[in-house]
Amino acid sequence: MRHRYGISLGVSPREPLSRTAELARAVDERGFEALWYIDFQLGMKDVYAAMNLAALSTENVLIGAGVTNLVTRHPTVTANATAALDELSDGRAVLGLGAGWSAVLGAGGTPSRLAELRSGIDDFRRLFSGEPCDLDGNEVRLATAKRQIPVYLAVSQPAMLRLAGETCDGAVLMGAADPEFCSWQLDYIHQGLETAGRDRGQLTVDLFVTMSIGDDEASAIDDVRAWATSQAATFHPWKRMPPAWERFRPEFARAAGAYGLVDHLSLQAGHKHTVSDEFVKSVALVGDLDTCVDRLRQLWQLDIDRITFALLSGGREQRLAQLADTVIGAVETEGGS
């Protein structure tokens, strides 16, 4: 059985929106199952414009915000926009929700707490039902609702991991392309499933990773260092993490202090030199082809359903072709099934 893969990307301010359709079509034609678009209103072009263009240009791939939040967009606005995406894509929309980080902090907001997210997930269920429902003390009804669009939650820390297991259709598993780290996270998802009495088949676990392949390891590491730094900055407030990762805590503190929101994921980001090579190699897939393929095989031994690659800027068509034609091909033909 062929494994399931996805792509995550954002539309750079320097990139014409018209190219969104072309790239989305390439993702769809290469057989990727999901296409996630970053929702960051200050650093990238509008996520819904991009997703709607993608919907009209593709036939099979699932399309969703990866991820949106409850702070910069009211749930009724998000639900209506997602219903429109679902209509344009003939039922291929998914909704990715998170506590909020770059989008929320950049707008001067505060990321949602666990209870707010739990309530928000329930709100989306009621809105997508199309029936009258109570929302913050007001009776509302989403006139455009047609079906229960799957809700994914972006998760990394224990309480959020359990919440996804308890209530969601999917989990966007954020953190690291490290088998030990992911296994630690998956234990909490399983706890959530057990608490709610849910079957494992009711939840799609989508692991988000990024990768840079090159015979020159130093160049490959530098290629993903900005992405790794963004991950490190989010790790800084964590109270619990796998014991093996405690050694990186000073790097997380440096990353949080140096991180620049507007340069989020940019290859030219000034904050990207605040983390060590060792951390970058732990959190991302970097190195030559054999090294990256071997790590992917290890990740596929875990209880995950899909691996989504964050497609970094700079030669995206070439990165996509390498990923689809070389990397995935090697995983699937050399012990990846």
Side-chain angles (χ1 to χ4, degrees):
M1 182 181 68
R2 189 180 189 277
H3 289 127
R4 300 154 61 185
Y5 296 94
I7 292 292
S8 167
L9 49 80
V11 182
S12 164
R14 300 172 296 279
E15 181 179 0
L17 267 172
S18 57
R19 290 193 64 247
T20 300
E22 180 183 349
L23 190 55
R25 192 177 301 114
V27 169
D28 193 39
E29 290 174 349
R30 292 181 180 278
F32 289 92
E33 184 180 83
L35 179 53
W36 298 96
Y37 285 90
I38 297 170
D39 182 7
F40 179 28
Q41 74 280 5
L42 294 176
M44 295 181 183
K45 292 190 175 179
D46 182 67
V47 66
Y48 287 99
M51 292 193 298
N52 290 340
L53 285 169
L56 293 171
S57 308
T58 57
E59 296 181 357
N60 300 299
V61 69
L62 301 173
I63 301 171
V67 294
T68 192
N69 64 83
L70 298 170
V71 180
T72 62
R73 303 180 190 273
H74 193 272
T76 57
V77 175
T78 295
N80 191 43
T82 306
L85 173 65
D86 203 47
E87 178 182 341
L88 290 173
S89 65
D90 292 325
R92 291 183 282 122
V94 289
L95 172 58
L97 178 67
W101 189 48
S102 56
V104 172
L105 295 176
T110 301
S112 300
R113 294 185 176 274
L114 189 73
E116 294 167 331
L117 283 164
R118 186 184 294 274
S119 177
I121 293 164
D122 291 340
D123 289 342
F124 285 122
R125 301 282 194 220
R126 292 193 292 268
L127 288 165
F128 288 140
S129 75
E131 299 296 325
C133 62
D134 180 271
L135 202 69
D136 298 326
N138 298 307
E139 184 175 281
V140 300
R141 185 180 76 86
L142 185 66
T144 58
K146 298 296 182 184
R147 72 178 182 107
Q148 281 291 340
I149 296 172
V151 177
Y152 284 64
L153 184 65
V155 292
S156 54
Q157 299 182 60
M160 291 280 280
L161 293 158
R162 284 192 291 260
L163 178 60
E166 291 173 16
T167 66
C168 292
D169 301 294
V172 172
L173 188 59
M174 310 293 291
D178 178 88
E180 180 183 355
F181 191 100
C182 291
S183 180
W184 176 84
Q185 292 179 309
L186 288 167
D187 284 345
Y188 291 104
I189 289 179
H190 294 154
Q191 289 175 22
L193 289 167
E194 184 176 356
T195 297
R198 303 176 70 204
D199 294 331
R200 172 63 179 82
Q202 293 177 262
L203 182 77
T204 298
V205 178
D206 192 342
L207 172 63
F208 275 39
V209 301
T210 198
M211 178 173 61
S212 182
I213 295 176
D215 292 332
D216 181 352
E217 184 182 80
S219 296
I221 289 173
D222 199 49
D223 192 34
V224 297
R225 196 183 298 274
W227 186 90
T229 303
S230 74
Q231 295 298 94
T234 66
F235 292 156
H236 175 55
W238 283 32
K239 295 179 181 178
R240 300 177 63 187
M241 63 180 58
W245 280 56
E246 290 290 344
R247 69 187 189 278
F248 294 128
R249 278 199 184 272
E251 296 185 38
F252 301 159
R254 289 198 303 272
Y259 191 74
L261 285 172
V262 176
D263 289 331
H264 183 59
L265 304 186
S266 168
L267 296 181
Q268 286 77 42
H271 55 245
K272 69 180 186 178
H273 296 291
T274 59
V275 295
S276 66
D277 289 359
E278 182 185 9
F279 174 73
V280 176
K281 289 191 290 185
S282 295
V283 78
L285 300 165
V286 292
D288 60 24
L289 177 62
D290 289 342
T291 298
C292 292
V293 168
D294 182 63
R295 180 84 75 85
L296 283 168
R297 290 184 193 148
Q298 293 177 44
L299 293 171
W300 275 125
Q301 298 303 310
L302 303 173
D303 185 22
I304 58 177
D305 301 298
R306 185 165 61 226
I307 292 178
T308 287
F309 296 93
L311 198 62
L312 301 181
S313 60
R316 283 179 166 175
E317 291 84 354
Q318 291 79 11
R319 291 180 190 269
L320 182 65
Q322 180 189 50
L323 180 57
D325 300 340
T326 304
V327 180
I328 292 176
V331 173
E332 297 302 312
T333 58
E334 298 179 22
S337 61

